[in-house]
């Protein structure tokens, strides 16, 4: 097969983390895909702990709610926020491989909702796909997390947090 045939065939392929090939150099745009209960994106915040490890600063990240068995009565019928980190950021395959690490971040979640803000439209939405026509090639300007957590001994927490994603593809607005 010649290089052109490979690139044309690969152009249609994308993943939840990477868009399709955009030209014959093979460059792919990072993709942000978010719903009201999960987010998938490429981050540039991976810390390489061991000098000779085969890792870059880039990583594929997923934050999602999972069902997890809890023996504590207070945590029955709750979920766990899981962070999935894959340091093989440029692999096109799905990310359950030897480079994937899973971290349960928070147990006892009764309610979790992600929302995404678009500054140009001055609107919040519960879904974002940087491969879609509406958000082509851009990350959300802000991400809002609504959360309600229960813990042992009736310790409860309810909060609302807003933060910026780590790699805004369209650049950082200098006025902020």
């Amino acid at each position: 097969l010649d290089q052109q045939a490979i690139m044309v065939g690969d152009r249609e392929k994308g993943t939840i983390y990477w868009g399709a090939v955009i030209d014959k150099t093979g460059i792919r745009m990072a993709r942000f895909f978010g719903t009201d209960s999960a987010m998938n994106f490429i981050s540039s915040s991976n810390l390489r702990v061991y000098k000779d490890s085969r890792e870059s600063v880039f990583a594929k990240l997923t934050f999602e709610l999972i069902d997890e068995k809890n023996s504590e009565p207070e945590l029955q019928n709750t979920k766990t926020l899981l962070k999935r980190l894959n340091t093989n950021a440029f692999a096109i395959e799905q990310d359950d491989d030897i480079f994937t690490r899973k971290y349960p971040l928070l147990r006892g979640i009764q309610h979790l909702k992600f929302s995404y803000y678009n500054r140009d439209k001055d609107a919040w939405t519960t879904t974002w796909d940087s491969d879609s026509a509406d958000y082509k090639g851009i990350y959300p300007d802000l991400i809002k997390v609504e959360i309600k957590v229960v813990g042992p001994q009736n310790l409860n927490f309810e909060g609302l947090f807003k933060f910026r994603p780590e790699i805004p593809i369209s650049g950082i607005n200098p006025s902020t």
Side-chain angles (χ1 to χ4, degrees), residues 6-103:
I6 292 171
M7 297 312 292
V8 169
D10 196 33
R11 189 167 289 146
E12 301 304 316
K13 295 179 184 176
T15 71
I16 201 158
Y17 300 99
W18 294 105
V21 171
I22 59 173
D23 61 24
K24 65 182 181 179
T25 65
I27 291 177
R28 296 175 180 269
M29 296 296 287
R31 180 177 177 200
F32 183 99
F33 182 77
T35 66
D36 62 347
S37 61
M39 292 186 295
N40 303 284
F41 57 96
I42 297 293
S43 167
S44 64
S45 63
N46 183 48
L47 178 62
R48 189 170 74 178
V49 177
Y50 301 103
K51 182 173 89 172
D52 296 328
S53 66
R54 298 179 61 192
E55 298 178 5
S56 74
V57 296
F58 297 101
K60 295 187 278 191
L61 281 175
T62 297
F63 292 92
E64 63 186 337
L65 282 178
I66 61 167
D67 291 318
E68 193 173 59
K69 291 186 179 184
N70 291 300
S71 58
E72 300 168 43
E74 300 90 356
L75 301 180
Q76 297 299 317
N77 301 316
T78 63
K79 297 188 182 249
T80 298
L81 180 61
L82 181 76
K83 174 183 176 182
R84 187 177 312 158
L85 172 87
N86 186 310
T87 57
N88 193 8
F90 302 105
I92 301 305
E93 297 80 33
Q94 288 301 71
D95 78 328
D96 278 339
D97 60 22
I98 62 169
F99 296 100
T100 300
R101 290 179 231 127
K102 297 177 182 178
Y103 304 99

Side-chain angles (χ1 to χ4, degrees), residues 97-116:
D97 60 22
I98 62 169
F99 296 100
T100 300
R101 290 179 231 127
K102 297 177 182 178
Y103 304 99
L105 296 179
L106 185 60
R107 292 181 167 88
I109 297 175
Q110 287 184 328
H111 170 77
L112 177 86
K113 180 181 176 187
F114 296 118
S115 301
Y116 311 98

Side-chain angles (χ1 to χ4, degrees), residues 127-159:
T127 60
W128 191 283
D129 184 353
S130 59
D131 248 5
S132 70
D134 289 341
Y135 307 118
K136 191 70 175 172
I138 60 172
Y139 276 30
D141 295 301
L142 289 173
I143 299 170
K144 179 170 56 174
V145 181
E146 298 173 41
I147 192 164
K148 183 175 182 183
V149 183
V150 297
Q153 302 172 355
N154 293 325
L155 295 174
N156 299 322
F157 174 80
E158 197 167 340

